[in-house]
C-alpha cells in the first residue's frame, strides 16, 4: 500500500484510525521503541487496558466492534489468510492491550532545487548555475511523485559524492 493510499484511508476512516497491539508485541520491541511507547502513556497518546473491551472504551470506540475486529484479525493470524497470508502477523492476545490513535505527520517534502545527474543546481531558467551543487533533502527531483522509504540516505550519499567530486574538480 503506497503512503498516499494509506494516508487517504486513514483520513477517510470515520472516527479516525487506531493501532492496537498486546503486551507480548510491546515487550518484543527494542528498548528505544518501548521507551517511546511508555512515554505515550504519560502524554496520553497511548492507552493500556487489561481487556480489549476496556481498551475500546478508553479509546472512545465501541467495545463489541473492537472485540470482533481483534477476533477476526487473530483468525487471519491463525489461518495465515488476508494480510497475514502475505506478512508475518502476531496475535493480539496477551494483556495488557495497547492502543493509540493514528495521526499523520509530514516527515519529508518532495520540493527543493532541481539538479542534473552531475549534482549541478539548475536555475529558474533551467540552466546550470556554475559552481553550485546540491545533494540530500535540499534536492527536489530525485524521487519522483512518491519517495520510497529508505532511499533518502542512499540518494544523499550518492549525490553528495558526485557533488563533492565535481566541486573539487572546479577548484582553481
Amino acid at each position: 500500500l503506497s503512503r498516499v493510499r494509506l494516508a487517504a484511508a486513514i483520513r477517510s476512516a470515520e472516527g479516525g484510525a487506531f493501532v492496537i497491539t498486546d503486551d507480548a508485541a510491546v515487550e518484543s520491541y527494542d528498548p528505544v521503541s518501548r521507551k517511546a511507547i511508555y512515554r505515550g502513556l504519560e502524554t496520553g497518546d497511548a492507552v493500556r487496558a487489561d481487556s480489549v473491551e476496556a481498551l475500546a472504551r478508553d479509546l472512545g470506540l465501541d467495545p463489541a466492534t473492537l472485540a470482533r475486529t481483534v477476533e477476526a484479525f487473530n483468525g487471519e493470524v491463525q489461518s495465515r489468510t488476508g494480510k497475514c497470508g502475505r506478512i508475518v502477523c502476531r496475535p493480539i492476545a496477551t494483556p495488557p492491550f495497547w492502543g493509540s490513535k493514528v495521526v499523520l505527520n509530514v516527515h519529508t517534502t518532495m520540493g527543493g532545487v532541481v539538479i542534473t545527474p552531475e549534482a549541478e543546481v539548475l536555475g529558474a531558467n533551467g540552466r546550470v548555475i556554475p559552481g553550485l551543487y546540491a545533494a540530500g533533502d535540499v534536492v527536489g527531483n530525485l524521487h519522483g511523485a512518491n519517495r520510497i522509504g529508505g532511499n533518502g540516505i542512499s540518494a544523499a550519499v550518492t549525490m553528495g559524492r558526485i557533488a563533492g567530486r565535481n566541486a573539487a574538480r572546479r577548484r582553481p
Side-chain angles (χ1 to χ4, degrees):
L1 195 62
S2 76
R3 291 178 182 171
V4 173
R5 288 179 50 207
L6 182 58
I10 291 168
R11 283 193 306 271
S12 69
E14 186 177 324
F18 295 83
V19 61
I20 308 294
T21 195
D22 70 355
D23 208 54
V26 170
E27 290 305 312
S28 75
Y29 299 154
D30 64 88
V32 173
S33 297
R34 266 199 320 273
K35 181 179 178 182
I37 291 167
Y38 275 91
R39 186 175 294 132
L41 290 176
E42 295 173 15
T43 63
D45 294 319
V47 174
R48 183 175 57 183
D50 290 330
S51 70
V52 171
E53 292 79 10
L55 182 68
R57 283 190 292 277
D58 291 346
L59 291 171
L61 302 171
D62 177 58
T65 301
L66 184 58
R68 282 192 308 273
T69 301
V70 169
E71 184 179 332
F73 173 78
N74 287 340
E76 287 185 4
V77 173
Q78 181 69 29
S79 64
R80 293 188 176 147
T81 58
K83 67 185 134 289
C84 298
R86 298 183 310 276
I87 62 172
V88 175
C89 298
R90 296 180 182 176
I92 300 171
T94 307
F97 300 96
W98 294 74
S100 180
K101 188 164 188 168
V102 175
V103 295
L104 300 174
N105 294 306
V106 174
H107 72 278
T108 189
T109 62
M110 300 299 289
V113 298
V114 177
I115 62 172
T116 70
E118 296 302 316
E120 302 162 299
V121 175
L122 299 179
N125 61 4
R127 293 192 187 125
V128 170
I129 300 172
L132 184 58
Y133 300 89
D137 285 345
V138 72
V139 175
N141 66 313
L142 291 182
H143 300 289
N146 188 10
R147 184 179 69 82
I148 298 172
N151 281 356
I153 293 172
S154 60
V157 169
T158 301
M159 296 312 295
R161 184 172 184 192
I162 292 169
R165 233 186 232 158
N166 289 330
R169 285 187 188 133
R170 288 188 53 85
R171 202 170 120 213

